[in-house]
C-alpha cells in the first residue's frame, strides 16, 4: 500500500512525522497480527515473533534462561544485558523486536548481538517466505536492510549456544539510563573442543559506521589462535587498524569510539578467559589465568537504588504547635504537582476565538535578511496571518539590561533561532506547519560561534572586568612553585519541565492580559508595554505557577511574550503559544560556557599565595545578563579560599549563539570551578591530600574577600569539619586506596568541596520586594507578594511567615497567583533571594495588620480570629495592607570598586565518592554527604529538597549535559534524545544531607538563609572525585601530576584521560 508503514509503536515514524513533516496516512499495527507474535522454543534456539515487544521478549528470554543449561544461554544473556539498558520502560513496553531490526539504526543495541550470534530472520511477502541470516551482508547501507520493500519481517530465530561458545555484549552511552549508544557490540567466540583454540570468532559493532559492522579481517586472522595475550595484542592492533573513523564522522567522538572498540574487546577477552579457566582443565592448553586485579573489568555495570538520610534541627521545644515556621511541612501544591492537577500556563482553558502562534526562526547564525516570503504559508489551512517587525506598534527594540535585541529580526539575524516572524493560525499543527513554509532569503555573513573565535576576533562586550586584591606579581615572586592551567566548562540547558508559554488576551482601550510562564511578571509587563507602545498600566501579567525556571524564565521568557502580545494586538484575538522542546532549546539560550585560564603560586606546604585568573564566557548575540554573570564569576574567583594576592579578568564574548542568560548559580559555578581546579593542581604538585590543602586555605572569621566584604559569622569550617566526620572521610580514603590497589580497571575517587554563595542582587535597586495582604470578612487571608512560585516552595514559605505573624493556622491563608496588579515593580524571582526579600515584605504587611487588630484582641482577649476580624470590619478598619522591604547597605559599583554586592554568604561542604570504569569511561556516584548552613531553616523539607535538586542539576552540569553545535552555530542537541539530564540512576547510591545546627542568620527572615542556588556547586565534588579516580588510573600507566579535564566529565573525557595501552593504540 503506497504511503503506508508498518509500525507497532512507531517510535521512529513518530519522529519523522513530527520533525521531518512526513505523512503516513495508513499505519499497519503488527501487534494485532497473531502470526507476528508467535513465540516458539526449539531444540537449538528460540523463535520470537517480530511484533513481540521488548518487555515481553525480556520476560520470555528470562524464563528460557532459567530453564536451560547455563552454557546454552550465552546469546540470550547477552540480549538481556542489552535490553536492560535499552531505552526506558515505557519504550520497551511498546517497541518491537522487528521494529528495532528494521529501523536498521547503526546504533541499535540488539543488532550487533544478533549478528555476532548468527541469528536468522523469517521474512514474508505475497510471494512466500524466506530465511535470511543476519550476517555482514544484512545491512546494505544507512538504514537499509536486505529485505525487499514488499517484504515484512515475521520472526527472529535466536540460537542456543554450544559448549565452548561464549558471547557477550557491551554498550557505552552518555548516560546509563535511557540513552542511545555511542558504541555497542556483540561478540562471540567458539573454541575447538576442550581447548582454548579459536574455531570461530564473530565481532559486531554499532556506532562505528553508517551500519552495524563486523571487522571481518580481525576475526579471520584470529581463527586457529590460542586465547592468550598474543591473541589479545594482535586483536587490538588489528581492530585499531580496521575500525577507523574519519574525523568528520557524524557524531564525532572519533578517538573515544575507536578506543571503545578496542576496550570492549579487551573486556570480552578477559570475560572469556575467566570462563575458560573455569570450564576447561588448566593443564590442558589454557595457559593464562586472569589476575584478580583484572577481574573488575569483566563485571557488568550495576548500581543499587539510592537511599539517604536527611538531618535537620527540630524547632525549639516550646514553639506553639500551630506555628509552622521551621517545621518540615509539605509544599502546599505537592499533591497537585504529583497528581497532575496543578494548573500551568497551557492548562488554562481555551478562550473563545483563541488562535495559536508558531514562530519563524533564523536558520543562519549571522546573515542579512534579503527577503521574507510568507505567500505559500498564508495559503495553508487555518492560517490567519503572518506577523513580523512591521506589525510591532511600539518599539521593536527590546532587552533586559540594554535594548540590544529585537522583538522580530528586521534586516539582520545574529543567531540560529533568532525570531524573524510568526504565523497565527486556528490550531497549533496548522500554525507550525505553515511556519515551516515561510521562506527566508539570507545573505550570509561570517559568524563567530566559539569562545576561541571570539578571542581571535576580539569580539567582547564592554567593559572587560577586572577585580584585584594584593600584589599578584609579588605573590608569584614569593611562591615556591607556579602552575598554569586551563579548563573549559560547557554550558547547560535549563530543561524546565514546562517550556516557555504565553497566552495574551486583548481587552478594551489598549489593555492586555497576559498569562505567562515567567520568573519576572513586572519585566514582562514593561517589555510588552514597550513593544505595544502603551503605558505599563494597560498590561497585566499573571503567573499562577511555573513548571521550573532555573533562570531561564527571568529574561528569555519575553522573547515569546512580546511576540504573542504583538500578535494579539494585531488580530484582536487571544493568542497562545507554548514552545515545543526543540524550539525552546534552540531559541532561549542557557548557562554561559566558560573558558578559564589560571596561574597559581604556592608554597610547598600547600598554602596558596598568588592567583591570576582569566574567564571568557560565551555570552551569545545580546548582553542580556552576561555582564552581571561575569561580575559574579569574578566575585567567586577565590572559591572559598583566602588568597592574599589575587587578580581576575573577565571577558564576555559576543558571539552568534542565542543569548546566554541567568542559570541557577549565575556564573558562580564557573567562577568557583576554576578555583577548585587550581587548588587541586596545587595538592597534586605538593603531593598532599587535596582535603588538607583545601582546609588550610579556607576563609576564616573576619577575613576580607577580594571585593572587600568581611566574612562574618562564617560557618565554613564548621560545615567542613562536620562533613569530614559525617562522611567518615579519612577511613574511606584509605579504603579507596586499597580498592584501587586491588583493581586495575575500576578506580574509585573521593573529593570534598566547599562552597560559599553570596546572597542578594549585586545591583542595589533590585533588592526590594512588596506584598499585599487582604483579610476578608470571614477571616480568610489572601496573600500576594512579588515572587513567583516555580516549584521551589516560595508560596509555602510565605504562608508560614504570614501564619506566624498573624498567629493563625496556615489553612486560613491562601496564595492565588503573582500579578502585576497586586504587587507592582517586583524584582524577578532570582538570586536565591525570593524568601529573603518577599518574606520580609510579607512580614511587614502582616505586622501592619496585626497592629491594626491589636485593639480588638485586647477588648476581647478570649475571642477568635474571626471575632476580631468582624469587630475590626464593623469599626471600619482597613483589613488590607501592603508590605515593603529593601535589603540595607547592598549594591556594588564595579567600576569604582565600592559597596557590598551581597548581604551574606550561604556556606556548605560536600563529600562525594565515585567509581569509574577505566575502559569505558562509565562512572557511578557511590555516595555523597552534604552539610549546609541554612541558618534557622524556614522549612527543612523544602530546603533539603532544594539542596538535593540543585546538587543533581549540578551533576548534570559537571558530568553529563553537553550542548553540541554545528560549526555554523546550529544546535544539534535539541531534545531529550540527544541532550541528557540526570536520571534516577545518577543520584548517588547513598545520599545524605545534614543542615548545620545552631547557626541563626541575623540577615534574613526568621534567621533563615537563602538556598536556591548555593548547593548547586557542591556537585563539583563528583567532578573532582572523578578526577581523583582518573589520577589513580593514570598512575597505573606511570603518569603523574596534574592534567586537564574539561567539564562535563563525560564518559569520553574520563576514558581518554585514563591513558593506557589502548588509548595509545588509537590516539595519534
Ligand atoms: C525514547 C527512545 C529511546 C530509544 N532508545 C533506544 C535504545 O536504547 N537502543 C536502541 O537500540 N534503540 C532505541 N530506540 C529506538 C527504538 O528502539 C526503535 O525505534 C524501536 O525498537 C522500533 O520499534 P517499533 O516497534 O517502535 O518500530 P516502528 O517505529 O513502529 O517501526 C520502525 C521501522 O521498522 C518498520 N517495521 C516495523 N516492524 C516491521 C516488520 N515486522 N517488518 C518490516 N518492517 C517493520 C517500520 O515500517 C518502520 O520503518 C529508542 C527510541 C526512542 C523513541
Amino acid at each position: 500500500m503506497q504511503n503506508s508503514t508498518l509500525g507497532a509503536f512507531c517510535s521512529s515514524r513518530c519522529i519523522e512525522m513530527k520533525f521531518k513533516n512526513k505523512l503516513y496516512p495508513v499505519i499497519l499495527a503488527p501487534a494485532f497480527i497473531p502470526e507476528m507474535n508467535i513465540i516458539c522454543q526449539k531444540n537449538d534456539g528460540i523463535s520470537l515473533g517480530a511484533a513481540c515487544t521488548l518487555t515481553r521478549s525480556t520476560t520470555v528470554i528470562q524464563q528460557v534462561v532459567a530453564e536451560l543449561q547455563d552454557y546454552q544461554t550465552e546469546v540470550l544473556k547477552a540480549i538481556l544485558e542489552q535490553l536492560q539498558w535499552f531505552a526506558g520502560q515505557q519504550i520497551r513496553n511498546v517497541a518491537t523486536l522487528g521494529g528495532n531490526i528494521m529501523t536498521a539504526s547503526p546504533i541499535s543495541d540488539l543488532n550487533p548481538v544478533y549478528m555476532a550470534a548468527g541469528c536468522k530472520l523469517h521474512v514474508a511477502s505475497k510471494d512466500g517466505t524466506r530465511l535470511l541470516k543476519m550476517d555482514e551482508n544484512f545491512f546494505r547501507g544507512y538504514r537499509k536492510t536486505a529485505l525487499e520493500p514488499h517484504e515484512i519481517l515475521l520472526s527472529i530465530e535466536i540460537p542456543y549456544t554450544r559448549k565452548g561458545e561464549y558471547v557477550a555484549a557491551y554498550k557505552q552511552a552518555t548516560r546509563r539510563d535511557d540513552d542511545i549508544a555511542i558504541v555497542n557490540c556483540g561478540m562471540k567466540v567458539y573454541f575447538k573442543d576442550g581447548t582454548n583454540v579459536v574455531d570461530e570468532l564473530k565481532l559486531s559493532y554499532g556506532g562505528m559506521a553508517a551500519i552495524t559492522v563486523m571487522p571481518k579481517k580481525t576475526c579471520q586472522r584470529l581463527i586457529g589462535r590460542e586465547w592468550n595475550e598474543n591473541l589479545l595484542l594482535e586483536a587490538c592492533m588489528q581492530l585499531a587498524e580496521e575500525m577507523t573513523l574519519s574525523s568528520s564522522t557524524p557524531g564525532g567522538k572519533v578517538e573515544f569510539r575507536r578506543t571503545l572498540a578496542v576496550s570492549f574487546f579487551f573486556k570480552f577477552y578477559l570475560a572469556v578467559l575467566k570462563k575458560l579457566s573455569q570450564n576447561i582443565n588448566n593443564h590442558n592448553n589454557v595457559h593464562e589465568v586472569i589476575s584478580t586485579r583484572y577481574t573488575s573489568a569483566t563485571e557488568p555495570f550495576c548500581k543499587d537504588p539510592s537511599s539517604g538520610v536527611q538531618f535537620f534541627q527540630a524547632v525549639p521545644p516550646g514553639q506553639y504547635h500551630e506555628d509552622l515556621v521551621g517545621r518540615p511541612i509539605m509544599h502546599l501544591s505537592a499533591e497537585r504537582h504529583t497528581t497532575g492537577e496543578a494548573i500551568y500556563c497551557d492548562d488554562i482553558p481555551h478562550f473563545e476565538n483563541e488562535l495559536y502562534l508558531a514562530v519563524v526562526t533564523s536558520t543562519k547564525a549571522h546573515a542579512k535578511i534579503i527577503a521574507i516570503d510568507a505567500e505559500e504559508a498564508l495559503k495553508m489551512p487555518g492560517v490567519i496571518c503572518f506577523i513580523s517587525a512591521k506589525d510591532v506598534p511600539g518599539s521593536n527594540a527590546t532587552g533586559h539590561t540594554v535594548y540590544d535585541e529585537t522583538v522580530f529580526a528586521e534586516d539582520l539575524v545574529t543567531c540560529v533561532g533568532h525570531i524573524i516572524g510568526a504565523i497565527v493560525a486556528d490550531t497549533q499543527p496548522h500554525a507550525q506547519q505553515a511556519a515551516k513554509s515561510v521562506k527566508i532569503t539570507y545573505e550570509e555573513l561570517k559568524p563567530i560561534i566559539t569562545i576561541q573565535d571570539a578571542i581571535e576576533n576580539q569580539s567582547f562586550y564592554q567593559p572587560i572586568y577586572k577585580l584585584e586584591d594584593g600584589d599578584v606579581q609579588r605573590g608569584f615572586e614569593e611562591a615556591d612553585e607556579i602552575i598554569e592551567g586551563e579548563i573549559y566548562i560547557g554550558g547547560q540547558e535549563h530543561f524546565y519541565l514546562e517550556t516557555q508559554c504565553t497566552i495574551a488576551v486583548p481587552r478594551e482601550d489598549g489593555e492586555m492580559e497576559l498569562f505567562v510562564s515567567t520568573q519576572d511578571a513586572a519585566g514582562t509587563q514593561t517589555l510588552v508595554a514597550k513593544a505595544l507602545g502603551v503605558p505599563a498600566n494597560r498590561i497585566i501579567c499573571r503567573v499562577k505557577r511555573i513548571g521550573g525556571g532555573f533562570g531561564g524564565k527571568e529574561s528569555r521568557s519575553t522573547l515569546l511574550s512580546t511576540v504573542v502580545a504583538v500578535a494579539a494586538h494585531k488580530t484582536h484575538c487571544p493568542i497562545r503559544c507554548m514552545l515545543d522542546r526543540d524550539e525552546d532549546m534552540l531559541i532561549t539560550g542557557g548557562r554561559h560556557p566558560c573558558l578559564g585560564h589560571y596561574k597559581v603560586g604556592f608554597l610547598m606546604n600547600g598554602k596558596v599565595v598568588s592567583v591570576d585568573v582569566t574567564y571568557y564566557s560565551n555570552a551569545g548575540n545580546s548582553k542580556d545578563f552576561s555582564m552581571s554573570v561575569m561580575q559574579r564569576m569574578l566575585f567567586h574567583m577565590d572559591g572559598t579560599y583566602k588568597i592574599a594576592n589575587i587578580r581576575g579578568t573577565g571577558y564576555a564574548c559576543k558571539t552568534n549563539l542565542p543569548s546566554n542568560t541567568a542559570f541557577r548559580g549565575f556564573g558562580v559555578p564557573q567562577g568557583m570551578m576554576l578555583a577548585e581546579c587550581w587548588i587541586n593542581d596545587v595538592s597534586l604538585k605538593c603531593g598532599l591530600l587535596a582535603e588538607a590543602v583545601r582546609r588550610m586555605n579556607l576563609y576564616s572569621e573576619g577575613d576580607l574577600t577580594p571585593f572587600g566584604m568581611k566574612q562574618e559569622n562564617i560557618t565554613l569550617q564548621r560545615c567542613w569539619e562536620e562533613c569530614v566526620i559525617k562522611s567518615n572521610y579519612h577511613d574511606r580514603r584509605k579504603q579507596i586506596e586499597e580498592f584501587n590497589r586491588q583493581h586495575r580497571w575500576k578506580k574509585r575517587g573521593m573529593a570534598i568541596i566547599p562552597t560559599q554563595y553570596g546572597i542578594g542582587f549585586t545591583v542595589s535597586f533590585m533588592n526590594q520586594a512588596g506584598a499585599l495582604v487582604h483579610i476578608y470578612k470571614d477571616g480568610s487571608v489572601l496573600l500576594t507578594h512579588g515572587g513567583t512560585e516555580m516549584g521551589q516552595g516560595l508560596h509555602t514559605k510565605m504562608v508560614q511567615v504570614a501564619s506566624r505573624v498573624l498567629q493563625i493556622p496556615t489553612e486560613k491563608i491562601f496564595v492565588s497567583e503573582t500579578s502585576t496588579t497586586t504587587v507592582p515593580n517586583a524584582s524577578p524571582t532570582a538570586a536565591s533571594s525570593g524568601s529573603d526579600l518577599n518574606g520580609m515584605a510579607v512580614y511587614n504587611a502582616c505586622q501592619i495588620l496585626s497592629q491594626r487588630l491589636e485593639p480588638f484582641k485586647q477588648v476581647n482577649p478570649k475571642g477568635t480570629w474571626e471575632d476580631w476580624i468582624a469587630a475590626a470590619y464593623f469599626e471600619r478598619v482597613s483589613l488590607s495592607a501592603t508590605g515593603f522591604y529593601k535589603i540595607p547597605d547592598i549594591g556594588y559599583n564595579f567600576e569604582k570598586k565600592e559597596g557590598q554586592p551581597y548581604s551574606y554568604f550561604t556556606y556548605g561542604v560536600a563529600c562525594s565518592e565515585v567509581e569509574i570504569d577505566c575502559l569505558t569511561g562509565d562512572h557511578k556516584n557511590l555516595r555523597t554527604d552534604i552539610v549546609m548552613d541554612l541558618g534557622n531553616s524556614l522549612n527543612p523539607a523544602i530546603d533539603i529538597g532544594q539542596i538535593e535538586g540543585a546538587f543533581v542539576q549540578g551533576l548534570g552540569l559537571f558530568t553529563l549535559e553537553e550542548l553540541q553545535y554545528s560549526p555554523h552555530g546550529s544546535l544539534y542537541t535539541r531534545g531529550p534524545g540527544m541532550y541528557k539530564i540526570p536520571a534516577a540512576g545518577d543520584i548517588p547510591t547513598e545520599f545524605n544531607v545534614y543542615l548545620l545546627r545552631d547557626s541563626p542568620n541575623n540577615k534574613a527572615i526568621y534567621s533563615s538563609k537563602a538556598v536556591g542556588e548555593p548547593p548547586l556547586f557542591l556537585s563539583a565534588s563528583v567532578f573532582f572525585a572523578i578526577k581523583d579516580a582518573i589520577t589513580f588510573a593514570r598512575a597505573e600507566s606511570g603518569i603523574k601530576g596534574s592534567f586537564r579535564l574539561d567539564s562535563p566529565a563525560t564518559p569520553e573525557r574520563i576514558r581518554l584521560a585514563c591513558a593506557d595501552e589502548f588509548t595509545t593504540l588509537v590516539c595519534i
Side-chain angles (χ1 to χ4, degrees):
M1 199 187 296
Q2 224 182 357
N3 277 343
S4 72
T5 188
L6 200 60
F9 155 53
C10 289
S11 56
S12 48
R13 288 297 183 234
C14 288
I15 290 166
E16 287 172 357
M17 286 156 76
K18 168 100 182 116
F19 295 110
K20 297 184 185 162
N21 271 357
K22 288 212 173 173
L23 285 175
Y24 295 103
V26 180
I27 292 176
L28 310 176
F32 301 101
I33 303 173
E35 292 87 334
M36 295 177 76
N37 280 283
I38 296 169
I39 293 172
C40 176
Q41 221 177 315
K42 301 176 189 162
N43 285 341
D44 58 350
I46 179 168
S47 167
L48 295 163
C52 287
T53 65
L54 301 182
T55 301
R56 181 168 173 227
S57 307
T58 305
T59 313
V60 169
I61 294 172
Q62 279 167 342
Q63 280 163 1
V64 174
V65 167
E67 286 162 13
L68 292 177
Q69 303 245 36
D70 198 35
Y71 75 84
Q72 295 179 289
T73 61
E74 290 274 317
V75 178
L76 299 177
K77 283 189 288 201
I79 290 174
L80 287 178
E81 171 63 23
Q82 293 305 74
L83 283 171
Q84 191 188 345
W85 304 113
F86 189 117
Q89 190 62 50
Q90 293 92 331
I91 298 286
R92 293 197 294 266
N93 286 347
V94 281
T96 62
L97 288 178
N100 187 242
I101 295 171
M102 295 309 297
T103 304
S105 160
I107 46 167
S108 154
D109 287 330
L110 293 172
N111 289 341
V113 189
Y114 299 148
M115 284 170 75
C119 291
K120 291 184 188 132
L121 305 178
H122 280 273
V123 299
S125 69
K126 62 180 172 27
D127 306 325
T129 61
R130 66 182 178 122
L131 203 59
L132 255 179
K133 194 164 182 199
M134 274 191 85
D135 57 16
E136 61 271 21
N137 301 316
F138 181 73
F139 291 108
R140 298 285 167 86
Y142 180 64
R143 296 197 183 259
K144 287 201 186 95
T145 70
L147 265 73
E148 300 295 333
H150 62 281
E151 288 180 314
I152 61 158
L153 176 58
L154 274 185
S155 63
I156 174 166
E157 275 188 18
I158 303 168
Y160 299 148
T161 32
R162 301 161 282 179
K163 279 197 171 135
E165 194 165 26
Y166 303 99
V167 181
Y170 304 99
K171 167 179 181 175
Q172 187 57 46
T174 300
R175 186 180 67 192
R176 263 287 151 191
D177 300 304
D178 194 358
D179 192 8
I180 48 168
I182 298 167
V183 177
N184 52 21
C185 69
M187 298 182 170
K188 183 187 88 172
V189 61
Y190 180 55
F191 291 103
K192 290 201 164 90
D193 196 16
T195 72
N196 70 341
V197 177
V198 176
D199 197 24
E200 199 185 325
L201 180 68
K202 298 277 180 206
L203 308 179
S204 177
Y205 285 95
M208 295 301 292
I211 56 171
T212 309
V213 281
M214 304 186 86
K216 261 173 70 179
K217 264 201 249 161
T218 306
C219 295
Q220 268 160 13
R221 276 184 86 124
L222 302 177
I223 307 284
R225 301 280 301 272
E226 285 189 49
W227 198 257
N228 57 24
E229 271 198 18
N230 291 338
L231 173 141
L232 171 69
L233 197 67
E234 170 126 21
C236 291
M237 283 169 53
Q238 199 59 46
L239 275 173
E241 212 178 294
E242 201 173 353
M243 302 301 281
T244 53
L245 289 167
S246 90
S247 56
S248 58
T249 303
K253 304 184 196 289
V254 168
E255 287 188 349
F256 179 44
R257 282 152 77 179
R258 294 187 62 217
T259 308
L260 281 177
V262 181
S263 303
F264 282 159
F265 183 80
F266 179 57
K267 278 182 173 258
F268 182 59
Y269 166 80
L270 291 175
V272 170
L273 200 61
K274 197 166 140 191
K275 286 183 184 168
L276 273 178
S277 63
Q278 288 159 0
N279 292 349
I280 62 174
N281 184 348
N282 259 335
H283 304 293
N284 185 11
N285 289 337
V286 180
H287 301 295
E288 300 208 14
V289 176
I290 180 170
S291 132
T292 49
R293 284 190 80 228
Y294 277 43
T295 47
S296 59
T298 65
E299 288 156 15
F301 183 94
C302 63
K303 185 169 173 287
D304 293 329
S306 284
S307 66
V309 291
Q310 304 170 335
F311 281 87
F312 58 88
Q313 191 167 8
V315 296
Q319 184 169 321
Y320 180 54
H321 72 276
E322 278 190 348
D323 178 357
L324 296 185
V325 169
R327 295 188 200 271
I329 64 165
M330 190 168 74
H331 190 295
L332 293 176
S333 295
E335 282 168 0
R336 279 184 289 282
H337 289 162
T338 46
T339 56
E341 288 167 25
I343 305 284
Y344 293 91
C345 192
D346 195 37
D347 297 324
I348 293 172
H350 287 236
F351 292 84
E352 207 186 325
N353 71 349
E354 182 183 299
L355 298 169
Y356 200 90
L357 177 143
V359 287
V360 176
T361 57
S362 170
T363 54
K364 306 292 173 202
H366 194 197
K368 284 186 191 160
I369 299 176
I370 303 300
I372 302 173
D373 178 4
E375 209 181 313
E376 196 186 315
L378 288 169
K379 289 184 202 145
M380 292 177 74
V383 173
I384 306 293
C385 64
F386 172 72
I387 55 168
S388 64
K390 291 197 275 291
D391 300 298
V392 178
S395 167
N396 192 41
T398 189
H400 278 260
T401 47
V402 284
Y403 299 132
D404 63 348
E405 299 190 52
T406 53
V407 178
F408 295 103
E410 279 178 273
D411 309 318
L412 189 72
V413 285
T414 52
C415 70
V416 175
H418 197 153
I419 297 177
I420 298 171
I423 288 283
V424 177
D426 55 350
T427 64
Q428 178 177 14
H430 283 157
Q432 290 183 335
Q433 274 159 21
K436 286 183 190 136
S437 302
V438 176
K439 293 188 191 73
I440 315 286
T441 315
Y442 304 94
E443 182 188 318
E444 283 195 61
L445 303 169
K446 193 171 174 284
I448 292 173
I449 305 298
T450 62
I451 291 176
Q452 214 52 49
D453 292 345
I455 295 171
E456 276 161 26
N457 290 282
Q458 294 288 293
S459 177
F460 306 124
Y461 289 110
Q462 295 300 324
I464 288 149
Y465 288 125
K466 213 168 228 169
L467 190 64
E468 191 162 2
D469 191 27
D471 185 338
V472 171
Q473 192 46 42
R474 208 186 59 219
F476 285 132
E477 284 160 15
E478 287 167 2
D480 292 341
E481 284 275 353
I482 294 173
I483 301 178
E484 290 192 54
E486 204 170 70
I487 182 176
Y488 178 78
I489 305 155
Q492 190 177 23
E493 160 63 29
H494 299 93
F495 225 100
Y496 23 67
L497 283 185
E498 181 201 26
T499 53
Q500 306 277 1
C501 184
T502 293
I503 304 167
V505 186
R507 309 273 189 216
E508 64 171 45
D509 198 18
E511 266 187 85
M512 189 165 298
E513 187 174 12
L514 295 148
F515 300 88
V516 187
S517 183
T518 182
Q519 294 169 244
D520 188 7
T524 305
Q525 177 194 36
T526 307
L527 290 182
V528 167
K530 185 173 182 331
L532 298 187
V534 298
N537 62 8
R538 300 297 200 284
I539 307 297
I540 303 169
C541 182
R542 298 172 61 182
V543 186
K544 176 91 184 157
R545 61 167 68 80
I546 69 176
F550 312 117
K553 294 174 182 170
E554 190 177 343
S555 62
R556 305 322 284 161
S557 51
T558 59
L559 286 178
L560 186 64
S561 304
T562 48
V563 165
V564 172
V566 169
H569 172 87
K570 175 166 173 162
T571 58
H572 304 292
C573 289
I575 305 279
R576 177 184 299 247
C577 179
M578 181 175 193
L579 295 181
D580 281 352
R581 178 67 64 188
D582 60 316
E583 294 172 317
D584 194 300
M585 290 185 77
L586 182 71
I587 295 169
T588 61
R591 189 188 294 284
H592 292 72
C594 176
L595 177 69
H597 291 282
Y598 55 89
K599 183 174 172 185
V600 53
F602 53 96
L603 308 179
M604 286 312 281
N605 68 0
K607 186 80 193 155
V608 178
V609 290
S610 196
V611 167
D612 192 1
V613 288
T614 309
Y615 297 96
Y616 297 92
S617 70
N618 194 329
N621 72 337
S622 79
K623 270 195 170 179
D624 189 77
F625 296 133
S626 296
M627 305 317 285
S628 313
V629 168
M630 181 50 77
Q631 287 183 5
R632 261 197 199 245
M633 236 179 256
L634 290 170
F635 287 141
H636 289 265
M637 66 183 173
D638 51 347
T640 52
Y641 308 114
K642 176 62 196 168
I643 312 298
N645 311 292
I646 186 163
R647 177 170 57 220
T649 313
Y651 298 82
C653 299
K654 182 178 180 183
T655 64
N656 295 111
L657 290 185
S659 192
N660 283 315
T661 186
F663 195 133
R664 202 176 196 173
F666 208 78
V668 177
Q670 296 95 315
M672 295 185 85
M673 191 67 171
L674 201 61
E676 293 306 332
C677 282
W678 45 255
I679 205 134
N680 209 60
D681 282 5
V682 170
S683 69
L684 280 175
K685 187 75 190 176
C686 297
L688 297 167
L689 206 55
E691 184 269 338
V693 174
R694 289 191 165 100
R695 175 74 184 87
M696 170 193 307
N697 287 286
L698 283 185
Y699 271 114
S700 304
E701 184 71 21
D703 280 343
L704 291 180
T705 65
F707 45 91
M709 183 163 154
K710 199 171 177 184
Q711 292 279 7
E712 285 173 325
N713 299 323
I714 181 169
T715 51
L716 202 50
Q717 285 86 354
R718 276 186 63 200
C719 292
W720 185 274
E721 304 308 344
E722 200 165 320
C723 192
V724 167
I725 293 167
K726 297 284 188 204
S727 64
N728 196 11
Y729 179 87
H730 292 288
D731 284 353
R732 281 175 52 221
R733 183 84 216 162
K734 285 190 200 119
Q735 287 163 19
I736 285 170
E737 281 164 13
E738 186 51 34
F739 178 94
N740 289 342
R741 267 192 290 278
Q742 288 172 11
H743 295 78
R744 168 60 188 97
W745 298 107
K746 295 259 164 74
K747 295 290 175 195
R748 290 191 176 170
M750 185 152 73
I752 180 161
I753 298 288
T755 194
Q756 68 178 25
Y757 194 94
I759 301 302
F761 290 98
T762 51
V763 282
S764 166
F765 73 89
M766 292 181 82
N767 294 289
Q768 58 173 309
L772 174 65
V773 181
H774 299 321
I775 305 173
Y776 293 98
K777 284 182 279 179
D778 65 353
S780 64
V781 176
L782 183 67
L783 175 65
T784 39
H785 58 88
T788 312
E789 174 60 51
M790 46 189 140
Q792 86 282 42
L794 179 61
H795 287 348
T796 307
K797 286 183 173 179
M798 295 305 96
V799 168
Q800 287 174 275
V801 169
S803 148
R804 175 178 272 190
V805 186
L806 297 173
Q807 295 180 5
I808 53 171
T810 51
E811 293 74 35
K812 292 194 195 296
I813 306 168
F814 183 66
V815 182
S816 172
E817 63 173 5
T818 308
S819 168
T820 49
T821 53
T822 48
V823 176
N825 311 322
S827 290
T829 309
S832 301
S833 56
S835 299
D836 286 16
L837 284 167
N838 296 294
M840 288 302 284
V842 167
Y843 175 88
N844 179 229
C846 293
Q847 275 286 342
I848 293 168
L849 289 168
S850 279
Q851 278 160 17
R852 288 186 200 155
L853 291 172
E854 194 51 36
F856 303 96
K857 290 184 183 177
Q858 283 185 4
V859 169
N860 179 13
K862 293 222 168 103
T864 63
W865 167 256
E866 285 75 14
D867 294 337
W868 302 325
I869 298 304
Y873 172 72
F874 287 113
E875 280 297 316
R876 295 180 293 169
V877 170
S878 166
L879 291 173
S880 173
T882 57
F884 187 77
Y885 178 70
K886 58 177 183 179
I887 299 178
D889 307 325
I890 192 169
Y892 188 77
N893 184 322
F894 215 98
E895 280 70 40
K896 295 186 184 154
K897 307 281 183 287
E898 278 172 11
Q900 188 159 303
Y902 302 131
S903 177
Y904 61 89
F905 288 111
T906 294
Y907 303 100
V909 175
C911 177
S912 292
E913 180 182 351
V914 302
E915 180 180 305
I916 63 167
D917 183 326
C918 308
L919 289 165
T920 63
D922 247 339
H923 86 270
K924 289 196 267 194
N925 299 323
L926 297 179
R927 176 169 166 179
T928 292
D929 295 270
I930 295 177
V931 179
M932 277 215 89
D933 169 17
L934 295 185
N936 290 354
S937 166
L938 283 179
N939 182 331
I942 282 176
D943 284 350
I944 290 174
Q946 285 293 301
I947 294 173
E948 292 171 341
F951 182 86
V952 173
Q953 194 164 39
L955 268 185
L957 171 66
F958 292 131
T959 67
L960 263 176
E961 298 176 37
E962 233 183 347
L963 290 159
Q964 287 164 25
Y965 293 89
S966 77
H968 307 292
S970 180
L971 181 68
Y972 287 136
T973 43
R974 290 189 202 174
M978 292 278 283
Y979 185 79
K980 295 294 163 187
I981 61 170
D986 297 298
I987 296 169
T989 310
E990 195 178 335
F991 193 12
N992 305 320
V993 180
Y994 306 85
L995 297 189
L996 198 71
R997 297 174 65 87
D998 301 321
S999 55
N1001 169 36
N1002 61 11
K1003 297 275 179 75
I1005 178 81
Y1006 292 133
S1007 305
S1008 62
K1009 273 196 172 186
V1011 65
E1013 295 166 281
L1016 188 135
F1017 181 69
L1018 292 177
S1019 55
S1021 58
V1022 173
F1023 180 92
F1024 285 98
I1026 289 172
K1027 207 166 176 187
D1028 186 40
I1030 297 172
T1031 309
F1032 281 106
R1034 290 163 70 88
E1036 293 272 6
S1037 303
I1039 309 168
K1040 294 241 159 69
S1042 60
F1043 59 98
R1044 175 172 173 166
L1045 180 68
D1046 287 340
S1047 168
T1050 54
E1052 178 185 20
R1053 293 203 170 109
I1054 296 172
R1055 176 63 188 103
L1056 296 180
C1058 291
D1060 56 31
E1061 52 269 45
F1062 305 114
T1063 50
T1064 320
L1065 207 58
V1066 298
C1067 302
I1068 316 116

